[in-house]
Each structure stands twice: as C-alpha cells, then as structure tokens.
Amino acid sequence: MRIRTFPRVLLSALATAVVVALSPAAVTAPAQAASVLTYRLEVEWDAPGGDGLAVDRRNGEVYVADYADDTVRRYSRAGALIGSWPAEAPRGLAVDAAGRVLVLEHVGSLDTRVRVRSATGGLLDEYGAGHLSFGADIAVAPSGDVYVADGMYDRVVRYSSSGAKLGQWGGEGTGPGQFDYAAAIAVGPQGVVYVAERSNHRVQRFAADGTYLGAWGQVGSAPGQLRSPSGLATDAAGQVYVADPGEFGHGVNRRVQIFTATGGYVTAVGSPSTEQFSGNGPKSIDLDASGRLYAVDYRGTSRTVKVFGPAAAKVAKVASKRITLRGRVTTIEIKCPKKPAGACSGTAVLTHKGTTLATKKYTVKAGKRKAVKVKLTKKGAKILKRAKPRKITVVLDPGKGPKKVKIRR
C-alpha cells in the first residue's frame, strides 16, 4: 500500500491533493524471475476519494481511502464494490499477511492513530496515540512489524504486530538517516525499509532497526533521478517501484521508476514527455501477488482505479560480456531473437554502483545483432575515469534484466 502525500505548508488543503495513475497504453516493466513483462490495462473502475490504496495479496481485493468522506471502500479485483465502512480522515492503508487492514486515521490536529480493522471494518486494535503527528504512509514487514512515515516530524516509527512501539529514527535534514518530508514507505521481502523523501528527491534504505544502508536519487528527469517521489511499492523479487510525479515547483516527471533492491535503475513506466500518466503524475501505487500494478488516477473530479496485468514480451539481450569504451562513447552489442516475429526496440541504460551513466534508444531487427553506440553523460564519463571500474551494469528496457559487462578500453 502506498499513499499519496502532502507538503507541511498545505495541511489545510489535504483533501484536495492529487493522485494519478497509468493510461491505457502498454508500458514496460522489469524482468521478474526468468521472464520479462509488460503491463497492459486489464480493468478500471471509479473509486471516490483515492487518498490511499492497498491490495490484499491473498485474494486481490482492493481498499481505497476517502479522506474527505471519512470512508474506506473495499472492491473486488474486478472493481465491484463489496462494502465500505467509516474511518476518521483515512489516508495511509496497508494489508497484513492475515488480511487485517491497517489504516492511518487522523483523529485530530497532529494526532494520527493506527487502527487495525477487519475486512468489513470492525475495529480490532488501535495504537500510535502520542507517537504520531501526521502519518503520511504505512507499511507492514514480512516479520509483521509495522512502519509509519511521519511526514510532519520527518521520522519513521516502528511497531510490533501487536502495536508496541519498538523505536523510531530520523529528524529533519539532508544527511544519511535524516528526512525532508518523509512521504512514503515500503518494506522489501528481506525486511529492508525504504523511505521516499519528497523534498530531498531521494529514496533511503534501512535495516529493520533503522540502521542506514544507503540511498539513491537526485532531483532531475533523467533515468534514476527523481522529482518529489511520493509513493513506494516492492515486489516479490525485491525490486522497488517509486512513484515519481514531480510537482510543487519541481517540474513534472509523470512516471513510476523501477529499481533493484539497492537502487540500480531498471526501467521506467511513463516519462515527462508522454501522456501515459495524467495530471501531476502517479502518487499511490501497489502490486498484488501476481505482479499486477494498481494505481489511482485523478482526472479532474473523477477518481479511477486502474489495474495493469503482466504479459510476455519479446526482448533483446546484451550479446557480449564486454563493451568497448572510447572516450565518452561505449559500444554495446545487442542481439534480437528471430522468433517471435518483429524487431526489438527499447532503451539501453548503463549504470555503475546505482548511478546512471548513459541511456540510448535502440532498434535491432529480428534474428540480428547490432553494435549500438552510447554516449556517456559528462558526469558518467567522470565517474568512469575516477572510479576506473572493471565492470558496469547494462540494462535493456525491455530486456532480460541487468547484466554485468566488462569494459574494453
């Protein structure tokens, strides 16, 4: 469950913040296990509110928070309204392994509670009083521990599955472990905690106890760069999905970027120059157990949940374990399979330790190999020159996942 969020200076306008999602156009997703997938629209339905979205990975049922109407609505995977129940200004949602729905409810000024409810809204537990000022997002770890991103005081608060406070970390700032508006939170299958910061334009990762593990992202629109990230999700393979809308004076990116568990760029859904996303870009995203992507799309006064399912795609692969580097130009050999019919087209992305060095669009005819020249950015060239790495990572989008490639100078 990942939720849309808000700037501190706009607390009075929370109910009018915007959430958007994918267009019906087919878009590319990363490799999962041994196959490469694309996302295609399967179903969509109207959903009032749209201030938070969570998917029950056991059965595909979807919960949507309506902040202004004090309601949480429950839908089938096909979009049929199953039921609804009252909640106090609900914003963040999560569903745990037992199917309990965890709701961040704003019961008063700077007073957020975690309320644990049944699928039909029955109150099972409540905690967080005195700990949370204005909860922005909530996530459940595989261990059952619960993490809340407190956007007001730039911290993460950790609870046990029974609601006992286990600790907290953070504070306002730009250093490791500090936040400038902690807007979204997610936990990977290995228990790594990811926090997206709207104003620092980055994602930080932590061990379960808050030990800092690393970060990625900087403001911009190039692959791997971010503008006001405001939603997070993780899949079974550990990949991290980052809603990268761009807003509040930072430009428009209108995409979801997908990264490895340690921040290596994999691919992007949408771009600043396309209409795959409407409005200000995606903010609330989640995945089900089969890898389907769920998103809330705000179009004017309408709110729509759209479900995109994975489908097999023809992909190219890096044909050589070495690439040639001459100054700022690298040459990659790409191979397109003969079957099924049709050329392989996409984007080649070069990275080193999670930093994007270059991108290049490619087209290779079916059954052929092609040497594709990729020009490094100035920063990429400096990184290679300074680091003198023996290997870099090449990702073909769509392709067969990241590949470590040796450099031939």
Side-chain angles (χ1 to χ4, degrees):
M1 87 314 36
R2 326 302 143 196
I3 96 166
R4 48 166 247 157
T5 51
F6 51 91
R8 284 189 291 271
V9 296
L10 294 179
L11 292 180
S12 64
L14 287 172
T16 61
V18 180
V19 177
V20 294
L22 301 173
S23 74
V27 290
T28 303
Q32 296 185 10
S35 62
V36 175
L37 307 174
T38 61
Y39 282 125
R40 296 184 183 278
L41 183 64
E42 289 187 347
V43 65
E44 62 180 300
W45 67 87
D46 293 336
D51 299 291
L53 177 148
V55 180
D56 187 339
R57 296 193 178 186
R58 304 171 312 149
N59 55 24
E61 292 181 352
V62 183
Y63 296 86
V64 178
D66 189 336
Y67 181 90
D69 197 35
D70 294 320
T71 302
V72 173
R73 295 179 178 87
R74 176 186 174 203
Y75 299 88
S76 72
R77 178 189 156 195
L81 181 63
I82 299 173
S84 63
W85 27 270
E88 291 188 79
R91 185 161 292 274
L93 297 175
V95 181
D96 68 12
R100 302 185 307 168
V101 185
L102 284 70
V103 188
L104 285 179
E105 299 188 37
H106 300 81
V107 302
S109 177
L110 302 183
D111 186 3
T112 298
R113 310 287 175 85
V114 178
R115 286 180 172 159
V116 184
R117 297 182 179 274
S118 68
T120 56
L123 183 62
L124 305 176
D125 198 1
E126 177 180 323
Y127 52 89
H131 302 160
L132 302 171
S133 57
F134 217 112
D137 198 7
I138 185 169
V140 181
S143 66
D145 287 354
V146 176
Y147 294 84
V148 178
D150 190 330
M152 174 61 70
Y153 290 131
D154 292 309
R155 63 189 176 189
V156 172
V157 184
R158 178 189 181 193
Y159 299 93
S160 71
S161 59
S162 60
K165 184 180 178 182
L166 301 178
Q168 67 180 52
W169 70 88
E172 186 176 2
T174 60
Q178 296 179 321
F179 307 112
D180 193 349
Y181 189 31
I185 194 164
V187 184
Q190 302 303 317
V192 176
V193 181
Y194 298 91
V195 182
E197 302 171 69
R198 174 163 286 178
S199 297
N200 280 338
H201 313 287
R202 67 182 178 183
V203 175
Q204 295 193 68
R205 57 191 183 94
F206 302 89
D209 62 358
T211 301
Y212 176 78
L213 300 178
W216 73 86
Q218 60 183 13
V219 65
S221 297
Q225 296 179 335
L226 301 166
R227 292 185 187 272
S228 303
S230 54
L232 287 174
T234 59
D235 65 19
Q239 295 183 128
V240 182
Y241 295 64
V242 183
D244 179 26
E247 57 179 6
F248 300 119
H250 299 301
V252 178
N253 280 355
R254 291 177 180 161
R255 63 188 177 185
V256 172
Q257 295 198 73
I258 304 170
F259 299 87
T260 66
T262 55
Y265 176 80
V266 177
T267 189
V269 179
S271 72
S273 60
T274 67
E275 296 300 323
Q276 290 171 318
F277 292 84
S278 63
N280 289 328
K283 296 182 183 179
S284 184
I285 56 177
D286 201 3
L287 305 168
D288 68 11
S290 299
R292 293 179 180 85
L293 178 63
Y294 293 68
V296 178
D297 189 0
Y298 271 45
R299 296 178 181 271
T301 59
S302 66
R303 279 74 165 164
T304 303
V305 172
K306 294 185 176 181
V307 185
F308 293 79
K314 180 178 179 180
V315 299
K317 68 177 181 178
V318 179
S320 173
K321 293 183 179 180
R322 292 179 179 269
I323 68 170
T324 302
L325 175 61
R326 294 287 185 269
R328 285 181 58 186
V329 177
T330 61
T331 303
I332 307 169
E333 189 177 26
I334 299 175
K335 181 180 179 181
C336 182
K338 189 174 183 178
K339 295 182 180 181
C344 296
S345 297
T347 303
V349 182
L350 279 62
T351 66
H352 175 58
K353 295 183 178 180
T355 299
T356 299
L357 308 176
T359 62
K360 176 70 174 182
K361 292 186 181 297
Y362 65 85
T363 298
V364 182
K365 294 181 179 179
K368 301 293 183 180
R369 297 186 180 210
K370 183 177 180 180
V372 177
K373 292 185 177 180
V374 182
K375 187 175 181 180
L376 300 171
T377 63
K378 290 183 179 180
K379 181 178 179 180
K382 289 180 180 179
I383 289 174
L384 290 187
K385 183 177 180 180
R386 180 175 66 249
K388 297 182 180 179
R390 295 184 179 274
K391 291 183 179 181
I392 64 173
T393 300
V394 177
V395 177
L396 301 183
D397 170 23
K400 295 189 175 181
K403 182 173 183 179
K404 296 289 185 181
V405 180
K406 293 183 178 179
I407 297 174
R408 181 189 295 111
R409 296 182 182 272

